[in-house]
Amino acid sequence: SFFPDDPRLARSRPLAQEFLILQDLNNLEIDSLECASPKLSLAERDLIAGHLMSGKKLNWDQLRKKLKLSSAAKFNLEEGGRKELSVNPIAPRFEGTKAKPGPFPGGWGDLPDEVQTQIIEKLETAETEEDVAGWASADLKLDEEIARRLSKVRLPDGHLRIGERACRAIVEQLRKDVCVYSVAAEQAGLKHSDKEDGEFFDRLPAYNRIDAMQRHIGFGTGDPLDPPDKRYGRISNPTVHIALNQVRRVVNALIDRYGKPEEIVLEIARDLKKSQREKDEDKKRNDANRAANDSRRVELAKGGHIIDGQRRIADKLMRLRLWEELGSPNERCCPYTGEVISLARLLSDEVEIEHILPLSKTLDDSPANKTVGMRRANRLKRNLSPAEAADRHPDVFDKAGMIERARSMPKNKRWRFEDDAMQRFAEQKSFMDRQLRSTQYLSRLAREYVSKLFPAADETGARRTHVWVVTGSLTSLLRHRWGLNLGDHNRKSRDDHRHHAIDATVIGVIDRSLVQRLSTIAAKEEREGIERRLADLDEPFDGFVDQVRARIDTLMVTHRAKHGHFDAGDPSHTSGKLHEDTYYGKVRDTPENAADLELGNVVRRKPVVDLKPNEIGKVRDLKLRAELAALLERIGKNEKALAAALAEWSSRTGVRRVRVLKPEEGVTPIRDRKTGQPYKYVVPAENAWIDIVETPDGVWRGAAVDSFAANSGGADGWQTKYPDATFIMRLRKGDVVQLFDADGVNSVKKVYRIGVAANRLYLAPANESGELQKRHDDKDDLFRWDLANIGKLKERRARRVRFTPAGRMKTVPHGTI
């Protein structure tokens, strides 16, 4: 808030709605040759604002029509991905609809502002609907039915990041002229720049306590009785939320140890400046896409399919684009069924845009994951990949023909029709995309966050930048130039966490003049040219590279402990998957079930088409088991051939699912809350922790607790299994231990897996990274698991250690949880 004693303004207030609408419209810019100015005139702005304040929505096509613009006109907010302008959601709630009228049908906007405010205040503060109805009858003189309707109105949650006095002053300026928020705030005599509000700190507070960060945060309750994150709000992206809190801990620990820094340099996820050639290529590609869409509009118009301003034009253009990717005009057919798709058929309900790899599993809604196909094929395919659909429905999907037809598609789509498409997507695409988006967002927020350690200007009033950034591309160039990569042939190795420390070291010796020099080169040349120009770049000082290499050899990587639920400090809880997805029924121990119990103690229902060869002999129904066993004997154990045969058998017999027996020792009951009786069973997903204890015979033993038991309160501790033992330590996945190896080397290793059945822990040096199991299985990789037997941990003098945010290793005494 601009005023310390002025609470944030609730979004339900008419003033807040007007502020949001005027701010939207004053920021709106029009890209069209039909307009002399890119901004709305004051009369146009007020006309549209009145429409939006009445609660009527305006999408971009409707706005173009209201302003008498052609479909070629574009709005800046539209280009940003928004669907429509901000609208007042309050009016429709009071006016209602013809079918369900509100307390003021068609008349909410005619009420004086002070009456509207009184009504909203009452709805916000009243404890019951009866209180509202009684007040409306007595004070507003409304009849009983209208008062009852009024009491049932629900207001939207949330607040603006400014208070009522500041908002009123800014709105007065926004009404006078089509000016942006910052100008209006300045004209109102208020501080308006979050980044230059004069606020700075000696140590970083939590990011949600800083006024300048509030614009990135979801609305808090403001209730002092609520937990801090609920009271002040928090960033919705959990990765960024955790990372900013880690930034605070590390920065504050370094300040406590070394004092406040003079400068902070951050590496951000952004490329170097593009060369002119790259800019030209981008422009050429954008021009080609624009020309292609123009020609598609012409083709649609010839067939009478669109007119200017018609809605859903984007859908038709996308259909045409995907249709063109199917090959030459005479060969365009459904990639799944092979049926020819004409232009008329393309725009009919027979054909629809379809996600090649299922959206529910990949969350990939990009054009690269879309095509057009027959509706009936899409209905059968559902949430399957093309290859999976072909295995399940071979009578509809011809796999060989499908792969052949996909060859005419762009290269980035062909692989999606192969058998291993889902695996390839998981390994190569989705994680990296999500990580990159989070990293880019985090980079921007981290810079703004740590900037609050410094004033915007010095004592003389001169501006000074204490926090500045370099790009990952720049760090990569310098790391390679100085030969600091950990991998073979001076290539960056992501199998060793210490590459982050090398990046930080390189960042620490970059100065502004070097950034400017490389940025200028990058604007003129490609990466190869930049590397040639860097050939004569000396190391920052004599012996720099040798010092870095020597220090890296002794460096120990720290890992963030994950002992509790997200933001929970209770070590008795654990996060992670509680149980496997499948639910089971228990086979009762009775004489008639004796034969079944030899095959399994639990049973589940499973689709016939998903049966594996080794499950057919465990189908509980004896008649169905015999039929399926005969089918297996005839087909053999080839899973693809068996899947097709099972689909045919299921279709012919009408049997869609069968009960399959399975032996599971560790099933856990899910009980009815009222009766306490179990009604289904689950298999715990993983172990939450293992307690290491020493029994009276001097041997170290382990007692594990799974995640489900840990979170449900049903865990039997080590005291039950070893009542006379002495507690040594508790280990969870992600904890770090210090112990001696067989060759006598004192090592620090991270716990990756708890193997209860084998009585061992899967340990790896804290510096190791990558997919460790694959590296262990790779004969050419030197990495191997340390399969630490729990009974030998005492001999290896194992102890749990932790790291402070400043990087200091501390020993956790035995007997401490």
Side-chain angles (χ1 to χ4, degrees):
S1 176
F2 286 112
F3 301 98
D5 60 340
D6 193 16
R8 291 190 297 169
L9 183 62
R11 293 178 69 91
S12 56
R13 303 299 178 99
L15 181 64
Q17 300 304 321
E18 186 178 5
F19 170 79
L20 293 171
I21 289 171
L22 291 179
Q23 186 176 223
D24 243 12
L25 294 177
N26 288 6
N27 283 325
L28 190 71
E29 292 184 1
I30 308 168
D31 181 10
S32 174
L33 296 176
E34 305 166 70
C35 300
S37 169
K39 289 286 190 178
L40 296 173
S41 68
L42 185 60
E44 289 173 329
R45 196 280 309 272
D46 290 344
L47 175 66
I48 298 169
H51 180 94
L52 295 170
M53 280 298 293
S54 70
K56 299 173 185 175
K57 295 182 179 181
L58 270 182
N59 62 32
W60 305 118
D61 286 336
Q62 292 169 333
L63 180 58
R64 274 185 279 267
K65 185 175 181 180
K66 204 168 192 65
L67 295 174
K68 299 179 180 179
L69 299 172
S70 70
S71 61
K74 297 294 181 184
F75 303 105
N76 60 330
L77 300 183
E78 177 185 18
E79 296 294 320
R82 289 181 52 177
K83 303 296 184 185
E84 57 192 22
L85 291 163
S86 296
V87 67
N88 179 8
I90 304 299
R93 301 185 186 210
F94 287 100
E95 295 187 353
T97 63
K98 289 183 179 180
K100 191 176 181 180
F104 304 104
W108 172 253
D110 298 331
L111 294 177
D113 288 349
E114 56 271 19
V115 175
Q116 291 184 356
T117 301
Q118 286 178 16
I119 292 172
I120 290 172
E121 284 180 350
K122 190 64 180 178
L123 287 169
E124 287 175 339
T125 58
E127 294 184 1
T128 65
E129 291 183 2
E130 288 73 18
D131 291 343
V132 176
W135 172 82
S137 298
D139 289 30
L140 298 183
K141 310 302 182 185
L142 300 179
D143 64 42
E144 184 178 343
E145 174 60 23
I146 298 299
R148 185 188 64 80
R149 290 183 196 170
L150 179 62
S151 69
K152 295 186 176 298
V153 172
R154 297 294 178 263
L155 300 175
D157 294 328
H159 297 75
L160 296 186
R161 61 187 178 88
I162 56 178
E164 182 173 356
R165 282 194 288 166
C167 187
R168 192 171 301 281
I170 293 171
V171 166
E172 286 180 8
Q173 301 302 321
L174 291 175
R175 289 170 180 164
K176 294 177 182 177
D177 191 14
V178 185
C179 60
V180 296
Y181 165 80
S182 59
V183 173
E186 188 172 351
Q187 291 173 346
L190 303 170
K191 297 177 297 182
H192 60 270
S193 174
D194 288 325
K195 296 180 181 178
E196 300 175 7
D197 59 5
E199 184 181 36
F200 67 97
F201 307 89
D202 291 327
R203 298 174 84 253
L204 282 176
Y207 72 84
N208 55 5
R209 305 291 183 90
I210 299 176
D211 287 344
M213 299 292 290
Q214 281 293 319
R215 60 199 180 97
H216 304 293
I217 298 173
F219 297 108
T221 63
D223 188 344
L225 300 178
D226 284 335
D229 282 348
K230 188 173 181 182
R231 177 184 177 184
Y232 296 105
R234 49 170 284 185
I235 289 171
S236 59
N237 185 314
T239 302
V240 176
H241 173 81
I242 293 172
L244 288 179
N245 283 331
Q246 291 297 102
V247 166
R248 172 175 52 82
R249 294 182 65 205
V250 171
V251 168
N252 287 344
L254 294 175
I255 290 174
D256 293 342
R257 187 171 184 82
Y258 302 106
K260 197 169 179 178
E262 284 294 318
E263 288 187 341
I264 296 178
V265 187
L266 301 173
E267 180 186 86
I268 64 171
R270 189 174 66 192
D271 289 334
L272 283 170
K273 188 181 295 184
K274 291 186 176 182
S275 68
Q276 189 57 48
R277 175 184 165 189
E278 291 168 324
K279 291 179 182 177
D280 290 342
E281 288 176 351
D282 287 347
K283 184 177 184 301
K284 183 178 179 181
R285 183 165 50 252
N286 291 335
D287 289 344
N289 289 337
R290 191 175 297 109
N293 271 339
D294 288 343
S295 65
R296 289 169 190 145
R297 284 189 176 91
V298 170
E299 188 169 355
L300 288 170
K302 285 181 181 176
H305 296 291
I306 65 166
I307 58 173
D308 273 353
Q310 183 175 336
R311 299 182 65 181
R312 298 188 62 78
I313 179 62
D315 175 80
K316 290 184 171 63
L317 292 176
M318 178 58 72
R319 285 178 179 244
L320 275 172
R321 172 182 169 178
L322 299 174
W323 182 59
E324 291 165 2
E325 292 177 349
L326 297 178
S328 61
N330 296 328
E331 298 175 353
R332 292 172 188 164
C333 55
C334 173
Y336 303 111
T337 66
E339 296 175 68
V340 175
I341 299 178
S342 63
L343 177 59
R345 198 175 198 183
L346 172 73
L347 300 174
S348 72
D349 291 339
E350 287 186 83
V351 174
E352 58 188 11
I353 296 175
E354 193 269 337
H355 292 91
I356 304 172
L357 298 182
L359 181 64
S360 61
K361 296 179 180 179
T362 64
L363 301 181
D364 185 358
D365 196 36
S366 68
N369 191 40
K370 292 179 180 178
T371 188
V372 284
M374 302 305 295
R375 176 186 290 269
R376 64 184 185 87
N378 192 19
R379 292 297 177 270
L380 282 175
K381 181 173 172 286
R382 294 191 302 171
N383 63 339
L384 301 174
S385 71
E388 291 168 342
D391 289 338
R392 181 168 295 188
H393 305 288
D395 53 327
V396 176
F397 299 87
D398 173 18
K399 182 181 287 188
M402 187 171 61
I403 293 175
E404 181 63 31
R405 288 187 287 272
R407 290 180 182 175
S408 62
M409 292 186 177
K411 188 176 180 179
N412 64 343
K413 295 190 177 185
R414 297 172 198 164
W415 64 269
R416 298 171 189 261
F417 291 84
E418 302 288 344
D419 286 331
D420 62 347
M422 290 300 297
Q423 181 181 349
R424 286 178 62 180
F425 182 90
E427 292 177 353
Q428 302 174 11
K429 185 74 176 174
S430 55
F431 172 78
M432 292 303 295
D433 278 358
R434 290 194 301 271
Q435 192 70 12
L436 180 60
R437 285 194 292 271
S438 292
T439 303
Q440 290 171 333
Y441 182 38
L442 171 60
S443 298
R444 295 195 300 271
L445 265 61
R447 180 185 185 183
E448 186 173 336
Y449 185 25
V450 299
S451 294
K452 303 310 292 183
L453 286 170
F454 309 98
D458 60 21
E459 296 81 359
T460 66
R463 293 180 55 82
R464 181 183 172 190
T465 303
H466 294 266
V467 180
W468 52 288
V469 299
V470 296
T471 67
S473 300
L474 174 57
T475 309
S476 174
L477 285 168
L478 295 176
R479 191 180 60 241
H480 183 80
R481 168 67 189 90
W482 291 325
L484 290 175
N485 287 312
L486 292 171
D488 296 334
H489 309 296
N490 193 23
R491 289 180 300 186
K492 185 169 184 176
S493 172
R494 296 190 181 274
D495 289 338
D496 191 323
H497 285 299
R498 292 176 298 173
H499 73 264
H500 295 297
I502 293 177
D503 285 346
T505 305
V506 172
I507 291 166
V509 296
I510 296 174
D511 58 25
R512 287 180 170 85
S513 62
L514 181 57
V515 172
Q516 181 59 43
R517 175 183 170 188
L518 290 174
S519 182
T520 303
I521 296 173
K524 298 177 180 178
E525 304 190 41
E526 308 302 323
R527 183 182 176 98
E528 296 76 11
I530 300 173
E531 291 177 345
R532 286 195 301 271
R533 296 281 289 272
L534 286 177
D536 61 345
L537 181 68
D538 294 330
E539 55 185 331
F541 54 82
D542 291 340
F544 167 75
V545 172
D546 291 336
Q547 285 189 36
V548 172
R549 288 174 176 166
R551 188 67 187 89
I552 287 295
D553 288 340
T554 63
L555 194 70
M556 193 62 59
V557 171
T558 67
H559 294 267
R560 173 177 173 264
K562 301 177 182 178
H563 284 182
H565 279 307
F566 185 63
D567 273 355
D570 185 355
S572 66
H573 290 79
T574 182
S575 58
K577 189 175 182 181
L578 297 184
H579 57 77
E580 301 296 342
D581 295 334
T582 304
Y583 292 108
Y584 296 95
K586 196 78 176 287
V587 178
R588 289 181 295 174
D589 189 4
T590 59
E592 58 269 25
N593 290 336
D596 289 340
L597 287 169
E598 292 182 5
L599 298 175
N601 60 320
V602 293
V603 64
R604 61 165 293 197
R605 292 176 63 82
K606 189 170 183 178
V608 171
V609 293
D610 291 339
L611 289 175
K612 303 298 181 186
N614 62 347
E615 292 177 321
I616 287 178
K618 297 179 181 178
V619 172
R620 194 172 190 185
D621 187 287
L622 295 178
K623 181 180 178 183
L624 296 180
R625 186 195 303 173
E627 289 187 30
L628 292 170
L631 182 67
L632 176 63
E633 185 176 355
R634 186 172 70 253
I635 298 298
K637 293 188 177 181
N638 182 289
E639 290 195 8
K640 292 183 180 179
L642 179 62
L646 289 173
E648 186 278 329
W649 182 87
S650 176
S651 177
R652 174 166 47 83
T653 61
V655 178
R656 298 285 180 261
R657 294 175 177 268
V658 293
R659 292 176 298 160
V660 180
L661 295 159
K662 186 177 181 180
E664 280 288 358
E665 293 183 3
V667 290
T668 299
I670 304 293
R671 301 182 182 276
D672 184 274
R673 290 184 178 181
K674 294 182 179 179
T675 66
Q677 295 299 312
Y679 64 96
K680 60 184 176 183
Y681 293 78
V682 295
V683 177
E686 56 188 30
N687 291 306
W689 66 71
I690 185 168
D691 285 334
I692 310 296
V693 299
E694 183 174 337
T695 51
D697 57 4
V699 178
W700 281 16
R701 306 181 189 278
V705 173
D706 62 69
S707 298
F708 187 91
N711 283 276
S712 62
D716 289 330
W718 59 269
Q719 297 90 340
T720 302
K721 192 173 183 180
Y722 303 109
D724 299 325
T726 301
F727 177 76
I728 302 298
M729 59 183 162
R730 173 171 291 178
L731 294 177
R732 299 175 175 83
K733 288 197 305 181
D735 279 344
V736 181
V737 293
Q738 185 179 30
L739 72 175
F740 285 88
D741 292 334
D743 56 5
V745 176
N746 191 359
S747 301
V748 175
K749 298 185 178 182
K750 179 181 174 181
V751 179
Y752 281 89
R753 198 185 311 167
I754 301 172
V756 177
N759 194 41
R760 64 190 182 191
L761 303 173
Y762 286 73
L763 307 178
N767 295 338
E768 297 290 348
S769 181
E771 297 185 59
L772 297 186
Q773 186 60 49
K774 287 186 177 180
R775 293 182 60 194
H776 173 84
D777 297 335
D778 185 354
K779 295 180 180 179
D780 296 327
D781 196 316
L782 296 178
F783 170 80
R784 293 294 179 270
W785 286 118
D786 178 353
L787 303 175
N789 184 280
I790 293 173
K792 294 183 178 180
L793 290 177
K794 181 179 180 181
E795 179 185 328
R796 297 178 65 179
R797 293 157 63 183
R799 57 184 183 174
R800 186 157 66 89
V801 296
R802 65 179 182 84
F803 293 91
T804 68
R808 298 285 172 172
M809 188 171 77
K810 302 287 186 181
T811 300
V812 179
H814 283 171
T816 304
I817 290 181

